[in-house]
Amino acid sequence: MRIICILVFMLLSSGSSSIGDSRNVSTRPDVVNIGALFSFHSMIGKVGKIAVEAAIEDVNSDPSVLGGTKLNLTLHDTNYSGFLGIVESLRFMETKTVAIIGPQNSVTAHVISHIAKELQVPLLSFSATDPTLSSLQFPFFIRTSQNDRYQMAAVAAIVDYFEWREVVAIFVDDDHGRNGIAALGDQLNEKRCKISLKVPLKPDASLDEVTNALVKVTLTTSRILVVHTYESTGMVVLNVAQHLGLTGPGYVWIATNWLSLLLDTNSTRPPGSMESIQGLIALRLYTPNSALKRKFVSRWTNLTYGKSSSGQFGLSTYGLYAYDTVWMLAHAINSFLNEGGNLSFSNLSKLTWADVGALNLNAMSVFNGGRALLQNILDVNFTGITGPVEFTPDRDLIRPAFEVINIIGSGERRIGYWSNYSGLSIVPPETLYSKPPNGSSLNQQLYDVVWPGQAATKPRGWAFPNGGGHLRIGVPRRVSYQEFVSQVEGTDMFSGYCIDVFTAAINLLPYTVPYKLIAYGDGVTNPRTTELVRQITTGVFDAAIGDIAIITNRTRMADFTQPYIESGLVVIAPVKKLNSNAWAFLRPFTAKMWCITAVSFLVVGVVVWILEHRINDDFRGPPKRQVITILWFSFSTMFFSHRENTGLKLWFQTMTQLGTSRVRLLETT
């Protein structure tokens, strides 16, 4: 009977759960409206558009994803205009849109994020990589690709790996460029490096403007140039740099992922376009190889067939992230509906009192379930074609990684990887996640690089600028000790041991150092060396040469080379001429010191006599003999040549004999 009851209970439970599921399914909407904002004719936009449409088709054809609900996608072309992006985003709010994929660039994202915050509609951008968009100011903005903060960490790691210390940053002067270079500066500071020169460019800079900007680069010492622009502006920069001779031997160019985007998208590359990027180092967003990725890559040719008047185009990593963005949103919407979420909208209360006139802003509405859907998006955890998709507490995708590529000939060569887990490595990042993180400098590795000008040797990273001045080196005009340094009379030349050491060191350098020796002092008295060192800190001199002693207060003002003259132990004494005579042996001590020494010896002799005369025959006899014995004993103390046997002396001799006997006994044993 008990078994029958249990079976009936199980049947009733399963029946009630199925009824609940049917009710849940029945409450699901048939269609969920989402939007997308791209510039259809840009490299990112045309790839993203194809990828998003393919993902929508795949999601809607799989009933297990949304349980019968379909995604209705509306696309709007912003046509490279931030203003149109704002207008099109407002139009989405009139059609009960629950989420927007985009915007494409960071400038538009900054503005639209304010609108999304008011209307509580999540923005999912796979290409707006500005690090400041992750701030608490934009709670409804979600970056579905990697943050530029990690890309700049990769650039800083490359600079530190090759032991360079200064870079020149060339960037587009908008939110994307400025904030990216600010992140680069922070990452370089952690490596004890810095940006020596910032070269901003307008987003639509002309050829003359780019030329004028790069002329400043030729006047700097750093030869490490980091380019963080858009793909069109970046190629103009490199073409002008080639014309100015900035892409030859000795220069290093590091491009962010705009260059890899250009190479991946343009499957046909004109031969002349590769000349200006030879030897460059570039970064590419890294996605691990998988069956899902290979399947999508094999579909790409069919997906792009006939979609562009200029012919087929390649698949960039932004297309992979765009595809996963749709799946991410689909999983989040499914979780939102499973939790009983309702796709309801309400009027924006802030517009009830405002005079909006003919703007038709009253048609906009607030998505009531926006915050719940936002949290569902941040909680997603699945594996897409870009690898594991999951967010960190900082709302960045987990496991950021980049490929490091080197442009050679008509193609490229991968020289390594960077990840925030183990830094630079020649091993794919996914193979390192199973091991303990090891970001030490000894563990950083890259393959050999072919540098600009087909050079195999690592560039020094700096050079003397064209038109630069000479090093101003202060030299003390000595009056004494002219063997160390002295000015040749009647000329501006100097001679001496210090000058010879400096000249030998300069000749060992593999490059020319222009310098000028400047005399310091009036030539009548020896100059104050501390004041000479202080003038290095004030900029009067760039360096100083001479017999300059290294003392504490001077080391606080300037850096010193290793000392090349060792003084050793020095005794300073006044110079005084003395005549030699028979009493010269008394000169080490003064008369007072000799008297004190004599008295001390007499005291010792008296003390010994007191202790010994009652038991020692050597200290007995007539008073005259005892006085002579005391005086002799005091005098012989200086030379340890006592003829008398004292108790202490006998004890010492006895102990010595006992020790010798013990040693002989041990040897015999």
Side-chain angles (χ1 to χ4, degrees):
M1 186 67 182
R2 182 178 297 178
I3 297 175
I4 296 175
C5 292
I6 293 174
L7 292 174
V8 172
F9 178 75
M10 292 175 62
L11 291 172
L12 291 175
S13 299
S14 61
S16 60
S17 62
S18 62
I19 294 173
D21 291 341
S22 63
R23 288 179 180 176
N24 189 25
V25 173
S26 64
T27 58
R28 281 175 171 266
D30 295 332
V31 175
V32 176
N33 294 324
I34 63 174
L37 290 173
F38 306 130
S39 295
F40 293 166
H41 299 289
S42 66
M43 291 186 180
I44 296 177
K46 63 184 180 181
V47 172
K49 180 176 180 294
I50 300 297
V52 167
E53 290 175 339
I56 292 291
E57 181 181 352
D58 294 343
V59 168
N60 289 338
S61 62
D62 189 352
S64 64
V65 180
L66 286 172
T69 301
K70 303 292 184 181
L71 294 179
N72 180 33
L73 175 67
T74 303
L75 290 164
H76 286 311
D77 185 6
T78 59
N79 197 22
Y80 299 98
S81 173
F83 175 74
L84 287 179
I86 298 171
V87 173
E88 297 297 346
S89 65
L90 293 176
R91 290 179 57 188
F92 279 133
M93 308 311 171
E94 301 175 5
T95 58
K96 311 300 182 184
T97 300
V98 300
I100 298 176
I101 299 175
Q104 179 177 315
N105 59 64
S106 301
V107 177
T108 308
H110 273 275
V111 179
I112 299 181
S113 293
H114 292 286
I115 302 173
K117 178 181 177 180
E118 294 295 334
L119 302 180
Q120 299 187 11
V121 175
L123 294 176
L124 293 87
S125 178
F126 57 86
S127 57
T129 55
D130 177 8
T132 62
L133 287 170
S134 298
S135 64
L136 298 177
Q137 183 184 7
F138 309 113
F140 280 85
F141 177 84
I142 304 171
R143 182 185 293 104
T144 58
S145 64
Q146 298 299 344
N147 193 328
D148 264 348
R149 177 165 58 91
Y150 299 113
Q151 180 173 211
M152 297 309 170
V155 174
I158 294 172
V159 173
D160 182 62
Y161 174 79
F162 290 108
E163 299 179 342
W164 299 315
R165 287 295 171 259
E166 293 185 5
V167 304
V168 175
I170 304 172
F171 60 98
V172 59
D173 195 11
D174 61 5
D175 293 325
H176 169 70
R178 283 193 305 270
N179 297 327
I181 293 302
L184 175 61
D186 295 338
Q187 297 295 332
L188 288 173
N189 287 336
E190 295 181 5
K191 304 290 186 180
R192 301 187 68 180
C193 306
K194 67 177 183 179
I195 300 176
S196 60
L197 177 66
K198 294 182 179 180
V199 183
L201 299 171
K202 294 195 303 184
D204 55 348
S206 64
L207 190 63
D208 292 337
E209 291 172 337
V210 173
T211 303
N212 293 334
L214 291 185
V215 168
K216 301 177 183 178
V217 177
T218 62
L219 302 177
T220 62
T221 60
S222 177
R223 292 296 184 261
I224 314 300
L225 299 99
V226 179
V227 185
H228 183 55
T229 63
Y230 301 115
E231 54 273 10
S232 57
T233 308
M235 287 307 301
V236 174
V237 169
L238 293 175
N239 290 332
V240 173
Q242 182 186 18
H243 178 71
L244 295 177
L246 300 179
T247 58
Y251 284 89
V252 176
W253 288 81
I254 303 175
T256 53
N257 60 353
W258 63 267
L259 183 57
S260 61
L261 167 66
L262 185 66
L263 297 176
D264 294 339
T265 307
N266 291 337
S267 55
T268 57
R269 306 166 189 168
S273 64
M274 300 296 294
E275 294 181 2
S276 59
I277 61 176
Q278 292 298 304
L280 266 71
I281 296 177
L283 296 176
R284 175 188 287 122
L285 288 165
Y286 175 73
T287 56
N289 195 14
S290 64
L292 290 174
K293 179 180 176 181
R294 290 193 298 268
K295 181 180 178 181
F296 184 74
V297 171
S298 64
R299 294 174 53 193
W300 186 253
T301 302
N302 295 330
L303 291 174
T304 57
Y305 182 76
K307 296 296 182 66
S308 176
S309 59
S310 58
Q312 292 183 334
F313 47 89
L315 173 62
S316 67
T317 51
Y318 285 116
L320 304 178
Y321 280 103
Y323 183 87
D324 274 354
T325 300
V326 175
W327 280 90
M328 180 190 306
L329 183 57
H331 285 296
I333 292 174
N334 184 59
S335 299
F336 174 78
L337 296 177
N338 287 339
E339 294 171 358
N342 187 14
L343 303 180
S344 61
F345 297 82
S346 60
N347 293 329
L348 185 60
S349 59
K350 293 184 179 181
L351 296 178
T352 56
W353 56 269
D355 184 12
V356 296
L359 295 177
N360 196 27
L361 296 180
N362 290 324
M364 294 191 302
S365 56
V366 178
F367 178 31
N368 296 328
R371 294 191 179 277
L373 179 59
L374 175 66
Q375 189 59 46
N376 288 125
I377 295 173
L378 296 175
D379 291 339
V380 296
N381 187 356
F382 70 99
T383 301
I385 60 177
T386 60
V389 179
E390 186 180 351
F391 287 97
T392 66
D394 295 331
R395 305 202 306 177
D396 290 327
L397 287 179
I398 62 171
R399 299 182 177 180
F402 290 85
E403 292 182 62
V404 185
I405 61 176
N406 183 209
I407 310 301
I408 304 174
S410 59
E412 63 191 52
R413 182 174 66 96
R414 183 191 300 121
I415 60 174
Y417 306 88
W418 177 91
S419 69
N420 70 330
Y421 189 76
S422 295
L424 296 173
S425 172
I426 58 176
V427 180
E430 63 268 19
T431 62
L432 299 174
Y433 293 131
S434 59
K435 304 177 182 179
N438 188 359
S440 66
S441 58
L442 298 177
N443 194 52
Q444 307 300 293
Q445 287 183 322
L446 286 177
Y447 288 117
D448 293 336
V449 180
V450 177
W451 304 101
Q454 297 183 354
T457 305
K458 182 195 74 172
R460 187 172 63 244
W462 64 273
F464 287 97
N466 297 328
H470 292 68
L471 290 178
R472 296 165 298 176
I473 300 179
V475 181
R477 185 181 295 172
R478 275 290 184 188
V479 178
S480 60
Y481 303 108
Q482 296 187 3
E483 293 80 5
F484 288 106
V485 62
S486 62
Q487 186 174 8
V488 179
E489 187 176 354
T491 66
D492 293 334
M493 301 176 62
F494 291 83
S495 62
Y497 181 71
C498 297
I499 302 299
D500 294 340
V501 172
F502 172 76
T503 305
I506 287 292
N507 293 334
L508 291 176
L509 296 176
Y511 45 85
T512 304
V513 179
Y515 64 90
K516 183 178 182 180
L517 302 180
I518 302 174
Y520 175 74
D522 55 10
V524 178
T525 59
N526 288 326
R528 297 180 59 186
T529 311
T530 302
E531 182 63 21
L532 172 61
V533 176
R534 190 190 66 80
Q535 292 197 11
I536 298 177
T537 63
T538 60
V540 177
F541 298 116
D542 297 315
I545 305 173
D547 51 335
I548 303 173
I550 305 174
I551 59 178
T552 304
N553 62 335
R554 294 175 185 171
T555 58
R556 298 191 183 103
M557 293 184 286
D559 295 328
F560 284 82
T561 63
Q562 289 294 326
Y564 48 85
I565 298 178
E566 289 290 344
S567 60
L569 181 61
V570 178
V571 177
I572 300 177
V575 177
K576 185 178 180 181
K577 186 177 181 180
L578 296 175
N579 295 323
S580 178
N581 51 42
W583 300 98
F585 68 94
L586 297 176
R587 288 175 182 170
F589 292 156
T590 61
K592 186 176 181 180
M593 186 64 186
W594 281 116
C595 293
I596 293 174
T597 303
V599 171
S600 64
F601 286 157
L602 288 174
V603 171
V604 171
V606 173
V607 171
V608 171
W609 175 84
I610 293 173
L611 297 174
E612 296 287 337
H613 81 281
R614 288 176 297 180
I615 59 176
N616 193 338
D617 294 338
D618 291 335
F619 289 89
R620 291 184 177 185
K624 181 179 178 181
R625 181 185 174 186
Q626 294 185 32
V627 171
I628 294 173
T629 300
I630 292 173
L631 294 176
W632 173 253
F633 186 86
S634 300
F635 178 76
S636 63
T637 300
M638 298 177 58
F639 308 100
F640 297 94
S641 60
H642 313 124
R643 68 182 180 182
E644 296 80 12
N645 291 322
T646 62
L648 181 62
K649 183 176 180 181
L650 292 174
W651 177 85
F652 180 77
Q653 291 175 350
T654 303
M655 294 303 295
T656 303
Q657 292 175 357
L658 289 175
T660 305
S661 301
R662 187 176 181 182
V663 171
R664 290 175 180 174
L665 178 62
L666 290 174
E667 290 177 351
T668 305
T669 304

